[in-house]
Amino acid sequence: MSTQTQAPTPTGPPSGGASDKLDKGVIAVAGVVVLGAIMSILDITVVTVAMQTFMAEFDATPAQVAWTMTGYTLALAAVIPLTGWAADRFGTKRLYLLAILLFAAGSALCALATTLPMLVGFRVVQGLGGGMLMPLGMTILTRAAGPERVGRVMAIMGIPMLLGPIFGPILGGWLIDSASWHWIFLINVPIGVAAITYAAIVLPKDHVEPSESFDWLGMVLLSPGLALFLYGVSTIPETGTLLAAKVLVPAAIGTVLIIAFVPWALNRRNLHPLVDLRLFQNRNMTIAVVAMSLFAISFFGAGLLFPQYFQLVRGEDAMNAGLLLAPQGLGAMITMPIAGVLADRMGPGKIVMTSIVVITVGMAMFATLTDTTSYAFLLTSLFVMGLGMGGTMMPIMSAALATLRDHTIARGSTLMNMIQQVAASIGTAVFTVLLTNGLEDATPTPAGMADAFGDVFVVATVLVALVLVPAFFLPRRRIEHQVDPAVLVGH
């Protein structure tokens, strides 16, 4: 095993004074990354409102139509582990352009689909591009700004991640009502053309060093392992139980493959593992991964409950349900840039802990809901949760990436995105099953259904509060930006 003795010079400016501000070049790069992230995240949420339309269009069952979401998610999970190596091998700019091209081409093909299997297949093409956009975007932004300003650039990256779930259903409902379902995919084509043009002009030229060897065994173990595990997990809501063979068999095989990957990734002979688990020797990275996992399970899992409450209990349509979630996005927009600056200046620990307390308060307000709870109360609680959300996810990301350098940034952002994707899928499955079982036991009245939602929100409140445990160990002072030798082992 070799040890890198000297870290490459970071691309960002030195810390201190006015140099901490984001210059025009960084802002231009941020615009490219945000545009790509908007394409990927909006598409996930836009498609959610088209499920009923797909069932009617293709004469399909809900389980069959669900593959339009599952296929995208599995492609996402399979390609994320490859992103770190591919970024080192081909360069972030080339790979980012390829990811946008794949996504836009997949979108155009989806719009041309005439059967459900065709649509699912083309969604997989979309997922291969979309899976690379987020980790690549984080890598590009972190390298451009330098570690001293990683909190601020992560705050920029968080904007589409927060607004996508809010405006996606609104946009999707409008496009389907005013045009046709084809346009929820066609809209990505002009955005993709603009993003490719913008990225080609703005992103700096790649300087690729001699290629690392590709970890073929790691790919055979991890990518299918993640896809099988997430397939099993995503099937839980359909079966309603963990014990169904359709859940257990793929999840078990996937788990075995993932477990087998761990000793191989840590093997001294494997100098360049597909996903660098040696990064866990970095204390900040390990704590951030634990915090992100708990947060993604609780917050993203509970996130599907809000629109369903408005639709099932209060009788709102998809577009109005999306509009009612807008206060959450507004709250996050207020605190996110502030949290990014404060995380850079005083460390992310205090920011994340305070924000988790705020989210817990907002979630606890939802745990008291009934079928007649005033909209003012519900919108206020969503706004409060948004305020907390703006100071949570991106500061956790910045804590993970701030001490990394050069190619370890690509590997670190790949690892964080993979963990977030798996945790969010687990959270979605868990809360879907909890809600489904609760509604089955409830009286089929608005009051009975509201009680079932309230019970699930109690669980969500407890899980969000548990994020305080790892958050307590996040750095509570400005992170010193020297290289941590532990993260360089094996490179």
Side-chain angles (χ1 to χ4, degrees), residues 415-434:
L415 180 61
M416 289 297 290
N417 275 273
M418 187 179 72
I419 294 293
Q420 180 187 324
Q421 179 66 43
V422 171
S425 296
I426 292 172
T428 299
V430 168
F431 280 98
T432 299
V433 171
L434 288 174

Side-chain angles (χ1 to χ4, degrees), residues 337-422:
I338 300 172
V341 173
L342 292 178
D344 285 340
R345 291 181 179 175
M346 55 190 291
K350 296 176 183 177
I351 309 302
V352 174
M353 288 189 69
T354 302
S355 299
I356 291 298
V357 171
V358 173
I359 294 175
T360 303
V361 170
M363 195 73 77
M365 293 171 68
F366 249 85
T368 67
L369 57 75
T370 68
D371 61 320
T372 58
T373 301
S374 73
Y375 274 26
F377 180 87
L378 297 175
L379 298 183
T380 299
S381 66
L382 286 168
F383 180 72
V384 169
M385 277 186 274
L387 292 174
M389 174 66 178
T392 302
M393 190 165 66
M394 288 303 126
I396 292 175
M397 287 282 193
S398 68
L401 302 180
T403 55
L404 304 184
R405 291 292 188 276
D406 195 53
H407 59 270
T408 56
I409 294 174
R411 299 304 178 95
S413 60
T414 295
L415 180 61
M416 289 297 290
N417 275 273
M418 187 179 72
I419 294 293
Q420 180 187 324
Q421 179 66 43
V422 171

Side-chain angles (χ1 to χ4, degrees), residues 37 42 68 95 103 112-113 168 181 195 197 212 215 238 243 250 270 278 303 316 345 349 361 364 376 403 446 456 483:
L42 262 184
T68 60
L95 196 61
F103 189 87
L112 298 175
W181 66 267
T197 305
E212 298 177 350
D215 182 12
E238 179 186 332
L243 303 178
N270 186 5
R278 299 182 185 104
E316 303 289 350
R345 291 181 179 175
V361 170
T403 55
V456 181
V483 177

Side-chain angles (χ1 to χ4, degrees), residues 116-252:
L116 187 59
M118 284 178 65
L119 180 58
V120 172
F122 295 146
R123 285 282 286 164
V124 170
V125 176
Q126 265 193 316
L128 294 175
M132 292 188 285
L133 286 174
M134 290 302 292
L136 277 174
M138 290 183 180
T139 300
I140 291 168
L141 263 182
T142 306
R143 286 178 176 173
E148 293 80 10
R149 303 179 294 179
V150 71
R152 266 160 278 194
V153 296
M154 285 298 105
I156 293 172
M157 192 69 181
I159 293 173
M161 298 179 75
L162 288 172
L163 299 186
I166 296 169
F167 292 108
I170 300 171
L171 178 63
W174 178 73
L175 287 171
I176 291 171
D177 290 343
S178 61
S180 70
W181 66 267
H182 305 81
W183 281 95
I184 65 176
F185 299 113
L186 285 175
I187 194 173
N188 288 322
V189 176
I191 297 176
V193 172
I196 289 174
T197 305
Y198 190 9
I201 296 171
V202 170
L203 295 184
K205 185 179 178 181
D206 288 319
H207 298 285
V208 181
E209 298 181 2
S211 172
E212 298 177 350
S213 58
F214 183 64
D215 182 12
W216 289 103
L217 180 57
M219 184 192 72
V220 170
L221 292 172
L222 188 58
S223 287
L226 282 173
L228 285 167
F229 176 77
L230 288 183
Y231 172 77
V233 169
S234 64
T235 310
I236 294 173
E238 179 186 332
T239 62
T241 175
L242 287 167
L243 303 178
K246 195 173 182 180
V247 174
L248 281 179
V249 173

